[in-house]
Amino acid sequence: MVKYIFKRIIQMIPTLIVISIISFIIMNLAPGDPSRTFIAPGMNSAQMQKIKESLGLNQPLTVRYMKWIKNILNGNLGYSFITHQPISSEITARLPATLGLMMSSMIISLIFSIPLGIICAIKKNKFIDNFITLISYIGISIPSFWFAMMLMTLFCSIFRLLPCIGMRSFHVHSTWDLIKHSIMPCMVLSFPSTAVMTRYVRSSAISQLKEDYILTAKSKGMSEINMLFKHVLKNSILPLITIIGMSLPDIVTGAFITETIFGWPGMGRFGITSIFNRDYPSVMAITMISSILLILGNLISDILYGIVDPRIRVVES
């Protein structure tokens, strides 16, 4: 297993290099000039050129990329064009908010998807199965921004039960206040993941219920509850580990939209603001950190897969 983890970490390096090259080229070839943010009315061409030189925008693309890579390897993410603050401190301040939102939504998805999927498998083609399946298809299909707006209309405008914007109320630092602010963003992020995971658990559980060992357990007089918890549940959640890794990209990209709509002070909102302001260093830093989080998430799911199913460890070793 250690050999396998080391191999996967080595494989991450070329992947991150390719992501950095593509992202850097796209960002620098996109329409717009970030130096215009610093240009005041009445400036002449010499002054404008001096601003471009100070930002390094007058150099060839390859030279800029190599300088950027060198700074990244030295732990220097650069300075934001907009706030003029070190990007590392900007991200450090916002990363916990994004990770907390992502982890909470993933935990909520697991808590709901596993029992719902098992119930659907036991009650296959009955009303409860058809109803949960319908809700799952809705969760997979609806756009996250539309769902977020509907929740805001319902819980903020009509019933006035939850706060709409931000992570905390002004001058309030209680845990309950944080929970109230996070309910709607977590719902928006977890609903699609719960829908997908429920479908996978249902499909896997139905397959397990048809296996010979289930018939053997029934013939030995094992109760349905024991059979579900000792055999069906364990084997049904195994594919879920892979689905969690596959769902991480959706959660990261969903966080950009969700944090912007709800005013959540995380990396997603910072990323959207940086994109609109042509803040190239900030966008590149957020892109690379998001990519690392996704790759690490997939690596963790592979490791968990190997822990749960020993046969995978034998194959990989």
Side-chain angles (χ1 to χ4, degrees):
M1 180 60 76
V2 175
K3 220 163 141 190
Y4 172 66
I5 295 172
F6 181 75
K7 182 181 174 183
R8 286 296 305 272
I9 292 173
I10 294 299
Q11 290 173 349
M12 287 171 57
I13 297 174
T15 304
L16 290 173
I17 291 174
V18 171
I19 292 172
S20 69
I21 292 172
I22 294 174
S23 302
F24 196 87
I25 291 173
I26 291 174
M27 277 300 306
N28 285 271
L29 294 182
D33 186 355
S35 65
R36 291 191 174 276
T37 309
F38 302 90
I39 295 175
M43 278 188 175
N44 55 39
S45 57
Q47 291 172 319
M48 289 190 240
Q49 187 63 28
K50 198 168 183 182
I51 290 174
K52 286 188 177 182
E53 288 177 7
S54 65
L55 296 174
L57 298 174
N58 63 322
Q59 298 173 332
L61 189 63
T62 52
V63 174
R64 278 186 277 162
Y65 176 76
M66 294 308 296
K67 283 187 175 181
W68 178 77
I69 279 288
K70 184 179 177 182
N71 289 332
I72 290 293
L73 293 176
N74 290 327
N76 179 16
L77 298 179
Y79 287 82
S80 169
F81 286 170
I82 308 304
T83 64
H84 309 293
Q85 298 295 319
I87 297 173
S88 56
S89 63
E90 295 276 2
I91 290 176
T92 302
R94 292 169 170 82
L95 187 58
T98 297
L99 289 177
L101 205 59
M102 288 173 58
M103 294 301 297
S104 299
S105 62
M106 185 59 69
I107 291 171
I108 291 170
S109 297
L110 289 172
I111 289 173
F112 282 97
S113 62
I114 294 174
L116 288 176
I118 296 295
I119 290 170
C120 287
I122 297 171
K123 305 292 183 180
K124 182 183 174 183
N125 296 329
K126 294 184 179 179
F127 172 77
I128 186 67
D129 177 34
N130 294 332
F131 179 75
I132 294 174
T133 298
L134 175 63
I135 299 299
S136 298
Y137 284 139
I138 293 173
I140 295 169
S141 304
I142 62 172
S144 58
F145 70 88
W146 181 86
F147 186 44
M149 297 304 295
M150 291 301 101
L151 289 178
M152 291 178 75
T153 302
L154 184 65
F155 291 107
C156 299
S157 301
I158 298 176
F159 295 111
R160 300 183 182 274
L161 294 175
L162 297 172
C164 286
I165 302 296
M167 187 175 171
R168 291 185 181 277
S169 300
F170 190 61
H171 285 318
V172 180
H173 301 285
S174 65
T175 304
W176 175 238
D177 182 68
L178 176 62
I179 292 172
K180 284 196 299 183
H181 279 83
S182 63
I183 287 175
M184 287 193 294
C186 284
M187 287 175 67
V188 173
L189 288 176
S190 62
F191 190 29
S193 300
T194 303
V196 172
M197 291 180 189
T198 299
R199 299 300 301 158
Y200 272 92
V201 173
R202 176 189 182 275
S203 177
S204 181
I206 289 173
S207 299
Q208 292 300 318
L209 288 170
K210 295 178 182 177
E211 293 290 334
D212 292 337
Y213 73 89
I214 294 295
L215 297 176
T216 304
K218 285 181 178 178
S219 65
K220 290 181 178 179
M222 181 178 287
S223 66
E224 188 175 3
I225 297 296
N226 287 336
M227 185 176 61
L228 285 172
F229 280 97
K230 288 186 178 180
H231 299 293
V232 176
L233 183 60
K234 180 182 176 181
N235 293 323
S236 297
I237 65 174
L238 189 58
L240 204 59
I241 297 172
T242 304
I243 303 304
I244 292 171
M246 292 170 59
S247 299
L248 283 174
D250 296 330
I251 293 178
V252 172
T253 54
F256 276 66
I257 299 170
T258 305
E259 288 182 3
T260 303
I261 292 174
F262 290 105
W264 192 266
M267 280 181 58
R269 186 184 176 193
F270 180 54
I272 293 293
T273 304
S274 300
I275 290 170
F276 282 122
N277 290 320
R278 309 287 181 189
D279 191 354
Y280 290 173
S282 298
V283 173
M284 285 302 303
I286 292 169
T287 301
M288 295 309 298
I289 291 175
S290 299
S291 302
I292 291 171
L293 288 175
L294 296 179
I295 294 172
L296 286 176
N298 287 320
L299 175 61
I300 291 170
S301 68
D302 287 345
I303 293 171
L304 291 175
Y305 215 123
I307 292 171
V308 174
D309 191 347
R311 292 172 297 178
I312 297 173
R313 292 203 298 269
V314 173
V315 172
E316 294 297 342
S317 59

Coordinates of all heavy atoms in Angstrom, one line a residue, residues 92-144:
T92 N -5.2 31.5 2.7 CA -5.2 30.9 4.1 C -6.4 31.4 4.9 O -7.0 30.6 5.7 CB -3.9 31.3 4.8 OG1 -2.8 30.8 4.1 CG2 -3.9 30.7 6.2
A93 N -6.8 32.6 4.7 CA -8.0 33.2 5.4 C -9.3 32.6 4.9 O -10.3 32.5 5.7 CB -8.0 34.7 5.3
R94 N -9.3 32.1 3.6 CA -10.6 31.7 3.0 C -10.7 30.2 2.9 O -11.8 29.7 2.8 CB -10.7 32.3 1.6 CG -11.0 33.8 1.7 CD -10.9 34.4 0.3 NE -11.3 35.8 0.2 CZ -10.6 36.8 0.6 NH1 -9.3 36.6 1.0 NH2 -11.0 38.1 0.6
L95 N -9.6 29.5 2.9 CA -9.6 28.0 2.7 C -10.4 27.3 3.7 O -11.2 26.4 3.4 CB -8.2 27.5 2.6 CG -8.0 26.0 2.2 CD1 -8.7 25.7 0.9 CD2 -6.5 25.6 2.2
P96 N -10.3 27.6 5.0 CA -11.1 26.9 6.0 C -12.6 27.0 5.8 O -13.3 26.0 6.0 CB -10.7 27.5 7.4 CG -9.3 28.1 7.1 CD -9.3 28.5 5.7
A97 N -13.1 28.1 5.3 CA -14.5 28.3 5.1 C -15.0 27.4 4.0 O -16.0 26.7 4.1 CB -14.8 29.8 4.7
T98 N -14.2 27.3 2.9 CA -14.5 26.4 1.8 C -14.4 24.9 2.2 O -15.3 24.1 1.8 CB -13.6 26.7 0.6 OG1 -13.8 28.0 0.1 CG2 -13.9 25.7 -0.6
L99 N -13.4 24.5 2.9 CA -13.2 23.1 3.3 C -14.3 22.7 4.2 O -14.8 21.6 4.2 CB -11.8 22.9 3.9 CG -10.6 23.0 3.0 CD1 -9.3 22.8 3.8 CD2 -10.7 21.9 1.9
G100 N -14.7 23.7 5.1 CA -15.8 23.3 6.1 C -17.1 23.1 5.3 O -17.8 22.2 5.7
L101 N -17.4 23.9 4.3 CA -18.6 23.8 3.5 C -18.6 22.5 2.7 O -19.6 21.8 2.7 CB -18.7 25.0 2.6 CG -20.1 25.4 2.1 CD1 -21.0 25.7 3.3 CD2 -20.0 26.5 1.1
M102 N -17.4 22.2 2.1 CA -17.3 20.9 1.4 C -17.4 19.7 2.2 O -18.2 18.8 1.9 CB -15.9 20.9 0.6 CG -15.8 21.9 -0.5 SD -14.1 22.0 -1.2 CE -13.9 20.2 -1.7
M103 N -16.7 19.7 3.4 CA -16.8 18.5 4.2 C -18.2 18.3 4.8 O -18.7 17.2 4.9 CB -15.8 18.6 5.4 CG -14.3 18.6 4.9 SD -13.9 17.1 4.0 CE -14.1 15.9 5.3
S104 N -18.8 19.4 5.2 CA -20.2 19.3 5.8 C -21.2 18.8 4.7 O -22.0 17.9 5.0 CB -20.7 20.7 6.2 OG -19.8 21.2 7.2
S105 N -21.1 19.3 3.5 CA -22.0 18.8 2.5 C -21.7 17.3 2.1 O -22.7 16.6 1.9 CB -21.8 19.6 1.2 OG -20.5 19.6 0.7
M106 N -20.5 16.9 2.1 CA -20.2 15.5 1.9 C -20.7 14.6 3.0 O -21.2 13.5 2.7 CB -18.6 15.3 1.7 CG -18.2 13.9 1.3 SD -18.9 13.4 -0.3 CE -18.1 14.5 -1.4
I107 N -20.5 15.0 4.2 CA -21.0 14.2 5.4 C -22.5 14.1 5.3 O -23.1 13.0 5.5 CB -20.6 14.8 6.7 CG1 -19.1 14.7 6.9 CG2 -21.3 14.2 7.9 CD1 -18.5 15.5 8.0
I108 N -23.2 15.2 5.0 CA -24.7 15.2 4.8 C -25.1 14.2 3.7 O -26.1 13.5 3.9 CB -25.2 16.6 4.6 CG1 -25.0 17.5 5.8 CG2 -26.7 16.6 4.1 CD1 -25.3 19.0 5.6
S109 N -24.4 14.2 2.6 CA -24.7 13.4 1.5 C -24.6 11.9 1.9 O -25.4 11.1 1.6 CB -23.8 13.6 0.3 OG -23.9 14.9 -0.2
L110 N -23.5 11.6 2.6 CA -23.3 10.2 3.1 C -24.4 9.8 4.1 O -24.9 8.6 4.0 CB -21.9 10.0 3.7 CG -20.8 10.1 2.8 CD1 -19.5 10.1 3.6 CD2 -20.8 8.9 1.8
I111 N -24.7 10.7 5.0 CA -25.7 10.3 6.0 C -27.1 10.0 5.4 O -27.8 9.1 5.8 CB -25.9 11.5 7.0 CG1 -24.6 11.6 7.9 CG2 -27.1 11.3 7.9 CD1 -24.6 12.8 8.8
F112 N -27.5 10.7 4.3 CA -28.8 10.5 3.7 C -28.8 9.5 2.6 O -29.7 8.7 2.5 CB -29.3 11.8 3.2 CG -29.9 12.8 4.2 CD1 -29.1 13.8 4.8 CD2 -31.2 12.6 4.7 CE1 -29.6 14.6 5.7 CE2 -31.7 13.4 5.7 CZ -30.9 14.4 6.2
S113 N -27.7 9.4 1.8 CA -27.7 8.6 0.6 C -27.7 7.1 1.0 O -28.4 6.3 0.3 CB -26.5 8.9 -0.3 OG -25.3 8.7 0.4
I114 N -26.9 6.7 2.0 CA -26.8 5.3 2.3 C -28.1 4.7 2.8 O -28.6 3.7 2.2 CB -25.7 5.0 3.4 CG1 -24.3 5.4 2.8 CG2 -25.7 3.6 3.8 CD1 -23.2 5.3 3.7
P115 N -28.8 5.2 3.8 CA -30.1 4.6 4.2 C -31.2 4.7 3.1 O -32.0 3.8 2.9 CB -30.5 5.4 5.4 CG -29.7 6.6 5.4 CD -28.4 6.3 4.7
L116 N -31.2 5.9 2.3 CA -32.2 6.0 1.3 C -31.9 5.0 0.2 O -32.9 4.4 -0.4 CB -32.1 7.4 0.7 CG -32.6 8.6 1.5 CD1 -32.4 9.9 0.9 CD2 -34.1 8.4 1.8
G117 N -30.7 4.7 -0.2 CA -30.4 3.7 -1.2 C -30.8 2.3 -0.8 O -31.3 1.5 -1.6
I118 N -30.5 2.0 0.5 CA -30.9 0.7 1.0 C -32.4 0.5 1.1 O -32.9 -0.6 0.7 CB -30.3 0.5 2.4 CG1 -28.7 0.5 2.4 CG2 -30.8 -0.8 3.1 CD1 -28.1 -0.7 1.7
I119 N -33.1 1.6 1.5 CA -34.6 1.5 1.5 C -35.1 1.3 0.1 O -36.0 0.5 -0.1 CB -35.1 2.8 2.1 CG1 -34.8 2.9 3.6 CG2 -36.6 2.9 1.9 CD1 -35.1 4.2 4.2
C120 N -34.6 2.0 -0.9 CA -35.0 1.8 -2.3 C -34.8 0.4 -2.7 O -35.6 -0.2 -3.5 CB -34.3 2.8 -3.2 SG -34.8 4.5 -3.0
A121 N -33.6 -0.2 -2.3 CA -33.4 -1.6 -2.8 C -34.3 -2.6 -2.2 O -34.8 -3.5 -2.8 CB -31.9 -1.9 -2.4
I122 N -34.6 -2.4 -0.9 CA -35.5 -3.3 -0.2 C -37.0 -3.2 -0.7 O -37.7 -4.2 -0.9 CB -35.5 -3.0 1.3 CG1 -34.1 -3.3 1.9 CG2 -36.5 -3.9 2.1 CD1 -33.9 -2.9 3.3
K123 N -37.4 -1.9 -1.0 CA -38.7 -1.6 -1.5 C -38.7 -1.4 -3.0 O -39.4 -0.5 -3.5 CB -39.3 -0.4 -0.8 CG -39.3 -0.5 0.7 CD -40.3 -1.6 1.2 CE -40.3 -1.6 2.8 NZ -41.3 -2.6 3.2
K124 N -37.9 -2.2 -3.7 CA -37.8 -2.0 -5.1 C -39.1 -2.0 -5.9 O -40.0 -2.8 -5.7 CB -36.9 -3.1 -5.7 CG -36.6 -3.0 -7.2 CD -35.8 -4.2 -7.7 CE -35.7 -4.2 -9.2 NZ -35.0 -5.4 -9.7
N125 N -39.3 -0.9 -6.7 CA -40.4 -0.7 -7.6 C -41.7 -0.4 -6.8 O -42.8 -0.4 -7.4 CB -40.7 -1.9 -8.5 CG -39.5 -2.0 -9.5 OD1 -38.9 -1.1 -9.9 ND2 -39.3 -3.3 -9.9
K126 N -41.6 -0.2 -5.5 CA -42.8 0.2 -4.7 C -42.8 1.7 -4.6 O -42.0 2.4 -5.1 CB -42.7 -0.4 -3.4 CG -42.9 -2.0 -3.4 CD -42.9 -2.6 -2.0 CE -43.0 -4.1 -2.1 NZ -43.1 -4.7 -0.8
F127 N -43.9 2.2 -4.0 CA -44.1 3.7 -4.0 C -42.9 4.5 -3.4 O -42.5 5.5 -4.0 CB -45.3 4.0 -3.1 CG -45.5 5.5 -2.9 CD1 -46.0 6.3 -3.9 CD2 -45.2 6.1 -1.7 CE1 -46.2 7.7 -3.7 CE2 -45.3 7.4 -1.5 CZ -45.9 8.2 -2.5
I128 N -42.3 4.0 -2.3 CA -41.2 4.7 -1.6 C -40.0 4.7 -2.5 O -39.3 5.7 -2.6 CB -40.9 4.1 -0.2 CG1 -39.9 4.9 0.5 CG2 -40.5 2.6 -0.4 CD1 -40.3 6.3 0.9
D129 N -39.8 3.6 -3.2 CA -38.6 3.6 -4.2 C -38.9 4.5 -5.3 O -38.0 5.3 -5.7 CB -38.5 2.1 -4.7 CG -37.4 2.0 -5.7 OD1 -36.4 2.7 -5.6 OD2 -37.5 1.2 -6.7
N130 N -40.1 4.5 -5.9 CA -40.3 5.4 -7.0 C -40.3 6.9 -6.6 O -39.8 7.8 -7.3 CB -41.7 5.1 -7.6 CG -41.8 3.8 -8.2 OD1 -40.8 3.2 -8.7 ND2 -43.0 3.1 -8.2
F131 N -40.7 7.2 -5.4 CA -40.7 8.6 -4.9 C -39.3 9.1 -4.7 O -38.9 10.2 -5.1 CB -41.5 8.7 -3.6 CG -41.5 10.1 -2.9 CD1 -42.3 11.1 -3.5 CD2 -40.7 10.3 -1.8 CE1 -42.3 12.3 -3.0 CE2 -40.7 11.6 -1.3 CZ -41.5 12.6 -1.8
I132 N -38.4 8.3 -4.0 CA -37.0 8.6 -3.8 C -36.3 8.7 -5.1 O -35.5 9.6 -5.3 CB -36.3 7.6 -2.8 CG1 -37.0 7.7 -1.4 CG2 -34.9 7.9 -2.7 CD1 -36.5 6.6 -0.5
T133 N -36.6 7.9 -6.0 CA -36.0 7.9 -7.4 C -36.3 9.2 -8.1 O -35.5 9.8 -8.7 CB -36.4 6.7 -8.2 OG1 -36.0 5.5 -7.6 CG2 -35.8 6.8 -9.6
L134 N -37.6 9.6 -8.0 CA -38.0 10.9 -8.6 C -37.3 12.1 -8.0 O -36.7 12.9 -8.7 CB -39.5 11.1 -8.4 CG -40.1 12.4 -8.8 CD1 -40.0 12.6 -10.3 CD2 -41.6 12.5 -8.4
I135 N -37.1 12.1 -6.6 CA -36.4 13.2 -6.0 C -34.9 13.1 -6.4 O -34.3 14.2 -6.6 CB -36.5 13.1 -4.4 CG1 -38.0 13.2 -4.0 CG2 -35.7 14.1 -3.8 CD1 -38.7 14.5 -4.4
S136 N -34.4 11.9 -6.6 CA -33.0 11.8 -7.0 C -32.8 12.4 -8.4 O -31.8 13.1 -8.6 CB -32.6 10.3 -6.9 OG -32.6 9.8 -5.6
Y137 N -33.7 12.1 -9.3 CA -33.5 12.6 -10.6 C -33.7 14.1 -10.6 O -33.0 14.8 -11.4 CB -34.6 12.0 -11.5 CG -34.3 10.6 -12.0 CD1 -35.3 9.6 -12.0 CD2 -33.0 10.2 -12.3 CE1 -35.0 8.3 -12.4 CE2 -32.7 8.9 -12.7 CZ -33.8 8.0 -12.7 OH -33.5 6.7 -13.1
I138 N -34.5 14.7 -9.8 CA -34.6 16.1 -9.7 C -33.3 16.7 -9.1 O -32.8 17.7 -9.7 CB -35.8 16.5 -8.7 CG1 -37.1 16.1 -9.3 CG2 -35.7 18.0 -8.4 CD1 -38.3 16.3 -8.4
G139 N -32.7 16.1 -8.1 CA -31.5 16.5 -7.6 C -30.3 16.5 -8.6 O -29.4 17.4 -8.6
I140 N -30.3 15.5 -9.4 CA -29.3 15.4 -10.5 C -29.5 16.4 -11.5 O -28.5 16.9 -12.1 CB -29.3 14.0 -11.1 CG1 -28.9 12.9 -10.0 CG2 -28.3 13.9 -12.3 CD1 -29.1 11.5 -10.5
S141 N -30.7 16.8 -11.8 CA -31.0 17.6 -13.0 C -31.0 19.1 -12.7 O -30.6 19.9 -13.6 CB -32.4 17.2 -13.5 OG -32.5 15.8 -13.8
I142 N -31.5 19.6 -11.6 CA -31.7 21.0 -11.4 C -30.3 21.8 -11.3 O -29.4 21.3 -10.7 CB -32.6 21.3 -10.2 CG1 -31.9 20.8 -8.9 CG2 -33.9 20.8 -10.3 CD1 -32.7 21.3 -7.7
P143 N -30.2 23.0 -11.9 CA -29.0 23.8 -11.7 C -28.9 24.3 -10.3 O -29.8 24.6 -9.6 CB -29.3 24.9 -12.7 CG -30.4 24.5 -13.5 CD -31.2 23.6 -12.7
S144 N -27.6 24.3 -9.8 CA -27.4 24.7 -8.4 C -27.8 26.1 -8.2 O -28.3 26.4 -7.1 CB -25.9 24.4 -8.1 OG -25.1 25.2 -8.9

